[in-house]
């Protein structure tokens, strides 16, 4: 056989016979098991093009990070507006207890006009889990009658969610408990467990879940890298489990000449 010749095309080796294979128990054909990406178009045209699916994908989770005062909250409020304008539902978990109603209304208008926009200011990590579960249960029930309705949950930010055990220990022991340095590892483990729990439920609820996370400089990172040479705080699950890992930062300041 000459070099570079396909032995099957040259009739030297017979082509394999594709005989049908029965389905093993618990399996489906790949075309039936794998879903196509569903998305909701946003008010950001460049973002819609960059995702290659026309908007923010639903049925999955995403992580947004960036420098302080870089526009993360403004960006997610734009995503919320996109869902509400499309007739969908949205929920905003203000874990930082710092987003004022006036700031939200600059993008969304009068909040009283949005009956499908929900807000929560939890005291502990466990309160957030309960609130998110209640919202997902509501959406699962709603989509049985209206499967065309999607939803968005934003957690701003996941680094501010304080586990009840940690809060009790800090209140009891004060600075000594903080100095031990165990809180970060415990929160990362909680994040991993919660994200594992959320994955199948987001699909049933037709929900996109967005976590805002803080970032810190990476020892091995460089500013020219796509992620800015930083690490996402909160454990590796926030990066590995995210369908989209989005970094938001200011490009240039705009000033009102008036």
């Amino acid at each position: 056989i000459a070099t570079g010749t396909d032995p099957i095309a040259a009739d030297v080796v017979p082509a394999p016979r594709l005989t049908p294979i029965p389905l093993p128990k618990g399996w489906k054909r790949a075309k039936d098991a794998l879903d196509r990406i569903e998305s909701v178009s946003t008010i950001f045209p460049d973002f819609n093009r960059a995702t290659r699916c026309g908007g923010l994908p639903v049925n999955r989770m995403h992580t947004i990070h960036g420098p302080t005062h870089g526009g993360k909250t403004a960006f997610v409020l734009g995503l919320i507006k996109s869902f509400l304008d499309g007739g969908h539902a949205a929920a905003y978990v203000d874990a930082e207890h710092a987003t004022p109603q006036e700031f939200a209304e600059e993008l969304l208008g009068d909040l009283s006009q949005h009956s499908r926009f929900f807000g929560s200011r939890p005291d502990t990590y466990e309160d957030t889990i309960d609130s998110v579960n209640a919202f997902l249960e509501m959406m699962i029930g709603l989509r049985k009658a209206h499967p065309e309705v999607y939803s968005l949950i934003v957690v701003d930010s996941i680094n501010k969610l304080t586990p009840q055990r940690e809060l009790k220990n800090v209140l009891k022991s004060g600075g000594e408990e903080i100095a031990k340095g165990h809180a970060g590892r415990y929160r990362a483990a909680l994040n991993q467990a919660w994200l594992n729990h959320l994955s199948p439920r987001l699909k049933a609820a037709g929900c996109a879940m967005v976590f805002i996370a803080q970032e810190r400089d990476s020892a091995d990172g460089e500013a020219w890298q796509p992620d800015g040479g930083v690490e996402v705080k909160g454990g590796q699950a926030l990066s590995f489990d995210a369908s989209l890992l989005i970094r938001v930062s200011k490009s240039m300041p705009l000033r009102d000449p008036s």
Side-chain angles (χ1 to χ4, degrees):
I1 303 174
T3 303
T5 301
D6 185 351
I8 295 179
D11 291 331
V12 177
V13 178
R17 294 183 179 180
L18 301 179
T19 57
I21 299 176
L23 283 174
K25 183 179 179 180
W27 289 80
K28 299 178 181 178
R29 301 295 179 193
K31 66 180 183 65
D32 299 322
L34 303 180
D35 298 324
R36 292 191 177 276
I37 297 176
E38 301 174 69
S39 64
V40 172
S41 180
T42 75
I43 63 174
F44 308 107
D46 289 339
F47 176 80
N48 296 340
R49 287 190 290 268
T51 62
R52 300 176 61 188
C53 61
L56 183 72
V58 296
N59 307 333
R60 59 199 69 212
M61 62 190 71
H62 315 285
T63 299
I64 295 176
H65 65 103
T68 303
H69 305 301
K72 299 185 293 296
T73 299
F75 177 68
V76 297
L77 288 175
L79 296 180
I80 289 173
K81 175 177 173 58
S82 304
F83 273 70
L84 296 176
D85 289 350
H88 306 292
Y92 182 73
V93 179
D94 183 19
E96 295 190 348
H97 293 238
T99 302
Q101 187 173 132
E102 293 81 359
F103 181 52
E105 287 182 338
E106 287 184 13
L107 271 177
L108 304 177
D110 186 0
L111 297 184
S112 65
Q113 302 299 316
H114 296 293
S115 60
R116 293 188 175 189
F117 184 31
F118 307 89
S120 172
R121 276 187 166 174
D123 293 323
T124 65
Y125 200 123
E126 291 78 4
D127 289 343
T128 304
I129 294 176
D130 291 341
S131 299
V132 169
N133 282 341
F135 182 84
L136 292 177
E137 287 294 336
M138 182 268 292
M139 286 305 305
I140 291 172
L142 178 64
R143 279 176 55 82
K144 291 179 180 178
H146 302 281
E148 73 282 359
V149 177
Y150 296 109
S151 60
L152 169 68
I153 302 176
V154 174
V155 177
D156 184 7
S157 67
I158 192 169
N159 305 102
K160 292 298 183 180
L161 298 180
T162 305
Q164 191 165 2
R165 188 186 78 172
E166 177 185 332
L167 185 61
K168 287 182 178 179
N169 290 339
V170 170
L171 293 176
K172 180 180 178 180
S173 305
E176 294 181 1
E177 182 65 24
I178 298 176
K180 292 179 181 178
H182 300 319
R185 292 191 293 271
Y186 180 60
R187 291 191 187 192
L190 277 180
N191 292 344
Q192 176 70 76
W194 189 28
L195 267 57
N196 290 344
H197 165 76
L198 282 173
S199 295
R201 295 173 61 79
L202 294 178
K203 167 64 177 175
C207 181
M209 185 130 187
V210 173
F211 294 101
I212 293 182
Q214 297 173 356
E215 67 178 25
R216 60 187 173 196
D217 293 335
S218 172
D220 301 324
E222 298 290 344
W224 54 264
Q225 293 176 333
D227 60 1
V230 298
E231 293 180 358
V232 177
K233 295 177 64 177
Q236 294 181 330
L238 287 174
S239 299
F240 292 161
D241 291 358
S243 293
L244 295 178
L245 186 58
I246 306 166
R247 187 170 192 261
V248 178
S249 61
K250 291 180 181 178
S251 174
M252 60 181 295
L254 298 177
R255 294 181 173 83
D256 186 350
S258 61

